């Protein structure tokens, strides 16, 4: 019989790591399960400007490394596994992963969200071959090249600015003629001489070319949404030229595992203000839940509340 933990936290982004920290400090036996690297979206964010107390210029991965260390300091155990099914009803909850089965009396779901695809023709063929969703991971591949960024929110504009440190030039392709990003971020972007904007435009198609046997993205076809006009952007002729397309158009929730079990709205898990889902002993925290502001600070707060609610629930059992 495997160990029955007090709490299992699913996901090691800011919400999950904060939940682990608070559960660990409450002396609950706690396991955090994460399928990939810690940090979720923050692991692929170059600069966090608005987390209170964050050191200026410090990166997302660095913040996450400190959060992980802090949670582990309080005795939280870790498992690296992809959970494939869950049984959440009853006093003991079971999570079945690719590597094993895990049980706990309370579960905190902090599975976050993943980047939305750009939605253009042939996109799937060129992910990792010109298309990326992570500037921190892939910026260096486009050193001195031409980079296009899709989106108009905080992520698109901040990541585009980061990409200007590597690329020859960065162009933001936005479907409207004004940005959604915070005004302070916009002000910096409009001053950046290596950054320009293609307004009222979407990416229609991406294509390979002759040079690499069609393997690498060499053409981006964009469409003006007002006129319908199509324009082709080509990889330059020089051997050193590169062409990159980064998508930052929001996120989809990682909630399919809980469909039919937990109450949801547009794929996001519904909770009350104390992170309770509709199943006793099951909590949701961070970007996965229905909420008005998805930020590191609100994710961490959710995680803390969920862990303390789990502690009350277990001590009243
Ligand atoms: P977002 O705020 O939802 O912005 C998504 C952008 O992509 C919007 O400009 C949207 O256009 C565009 N878009 C959406 N679907 C599209 C499609 N199918 N085709 C073309 N464009 C599309 O997403 P985000 O920038 O990833 O930010 C997510 C959350 O994290 C937000 O709450 C944001 O404030 C937060 N965040 C904060 C920071 C920070 O404070 N430093 C950094 C990153 C993210 P429209 O404008 O026309 O809708």
């Amino acid at each position: 019989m495997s160990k029955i933990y007090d709490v299992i936290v699913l996901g090691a982004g800011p919400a999950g790591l904060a939940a682990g920290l608070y559960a660990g400090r409450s002396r609950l036996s706690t396991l955090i399960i994460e399928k990939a690297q810690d940090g979720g979206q923050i692991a692929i964010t170059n600069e966090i400007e608005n987390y209170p107390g964050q050191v200026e210029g410090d990166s997302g991965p660095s913040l996450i490394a400190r959060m992980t260390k802090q949670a582990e300091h309080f005795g939280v155990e870790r498992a690296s596994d992809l959970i494939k099914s869950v049984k959440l009803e009853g006093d003991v909850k079971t999570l079945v992963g690719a590597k094993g089965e895990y049980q706990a009396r309370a579960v905190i779901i902090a599975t976050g969200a993943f980047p939305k695809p750009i939605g253009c023709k042939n996109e799937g063929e060129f992910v990792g071959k010109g298309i990326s969703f992570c500037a921190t991971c892939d910026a260096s591949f486009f050193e001195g090249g031409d980079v296009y960024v899709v989106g108009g929110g905080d992520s698109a504009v901040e990541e585009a600015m980061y990409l200007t440190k590597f690329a020859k030039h960065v162009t933001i392709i936005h479907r409207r003629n004004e940005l959604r990003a915070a005004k302070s971020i916009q002000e910096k972007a409009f001053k950046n001489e290596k950054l320009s904007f293609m307004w009222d435009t979407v990416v229609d198609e991406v294509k390979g070319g002759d040079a690499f046997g069609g393997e690498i993205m060499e053409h981006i076809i964009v469409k003006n949404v007002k006129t319908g006009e199509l324009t082709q952007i080509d990889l330059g002729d020089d051997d050193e030229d590169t062409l990159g397309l980064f998508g930052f158009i929001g996120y989809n929730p990682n909630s399919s595992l809980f469909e039919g079990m937990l109450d949801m709205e547009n794929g996001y898990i519904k909770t009350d203000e104390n992170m309770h889902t509709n199943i006793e002993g099951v909590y949701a925290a961070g970007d996965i839940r229905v909420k008005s502001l998805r930020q590191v600070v609100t994710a961490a707060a959710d995680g803390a509340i969920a862990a303390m609610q789990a502690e009350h629930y277990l001590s009243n059992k």
Side-chain angles (χ1 to χ4, degrees), residues 132 134-145 147 159 162-167 242 246:
S132 170
C134 174
T136 319
C137 319
D138 297 332
S140 60
F141 295 128
F142 302 100
E143 190 93 50
V147 165
E159 298 307 307
Y162 173 70
L163 285 159
T164 61
K165 295 179 187 170
F166 299 80
T242 52
F246 285 77

Side-chain angles (χ1 to χ4, degrees), residues 178-192:
E178 61 176 352
L179 297 172
R180 176 183 294 277
K183 289 284 177 284
S184 64
I185 297 174
Q186 293 195 29
E187 282 162 15
K188 278 194 212 167
F190 290 137
K191 282 187 200 146
N192 189 323

Side-chain angles (χ1 to χ4, degrees), residues 56-242:
E56 201 183 331
D58 196 23
S59 69
S62 151
L63 175 64
I64 284 300
R66 292 198 297 278
M67 286 187 180
T68 298
K69 197 169 162 201
Q70 201 178 2
E72 289 177 353
H73 177 71
F74 288 100
V76 170
E77 292 179 38
R78 299 298 312 264
S80 171
D81 203 351
L82 174 67
I83 299 302
K84 300 194 161 196
S85 66
V86 293
K87 190 179 150 291
L88 298 176
E89 295 286 355
D91 285 346
V92 176
K93 329 289 186 192
T94 304
L95 289 76
V96 182
K99 296 180 189 165
E101 200 171 291
Y102 311 89
Q103 290 190 308
R105 292 185 180 84
V107 171
I108 298 172
I109 299 164
T111 46
F114 60 91
K116 275 189 195 165
I118 294 166
C120 62
K121 290 175 215 136
N122 304 331
E123 179 172 4
E125 279 176 50
F126 295 102
V127 173
K129 297 171 181 174
I131 296 182
S132 170
F133 298 91
C134 174
T136 319
C137 319
D138 297 332
S140 60
F141 295 128
F142 302 100
E143 190 93 50
D146 286 310
V147 165
Y148 292 80
V149 168
V150 187
D154 290 339
S155 301
V157 181
E158 284 196 332
E159 298 307 307
M161 282 193 286
Y162 173 70
L163 285 159
T164 61
K165 295 179 187 170
F166 299 80
K168 183 169 63 193
H169 192 81
V170 177
T171 306
I172 290 184
I173 300 173
H174 184 36
R175 65 181 177 182
R176 292 188 294 134
N177 63 1
E178 61 176 352
L179 297 172
R180 176 183 294 277
K183 289 284 177 284
S184 64
I185 297 174
Q186 293 195 29
E187 282 162 15
K188 278 194 212 167
F190 290 137
K191 282 187 200 146
N192 189 323
E193 288 178 355
K194 287 177 79 181
L195 190 58
S196 56
F197 297 84
M198 220 178 240
W199 302 112
D200 300 313
T201 303
V202 294
V203 178
D204 185 64
E205 186 176 1
V206 289
K207 291 200 282 195
D210 297 333
F212 301 94
E215 279 285 299
I216 302 283
M217 183 187 74
E218 292 185 39
H219 309 285
I220 303 170
I221 295 132
V222 296
K223 182 169 148 188
N224 183 302
V225 292
K226 291 204 166 144
T227 62
E229 188 188 351
L230 294 173
T231 306
Q232 181 163 307
I233 298 158
D234 301 320
L235 171 69
D237 290 334
D238 198 291
D239 278 356
E240 302 296 305
D241 282 333
T242 52

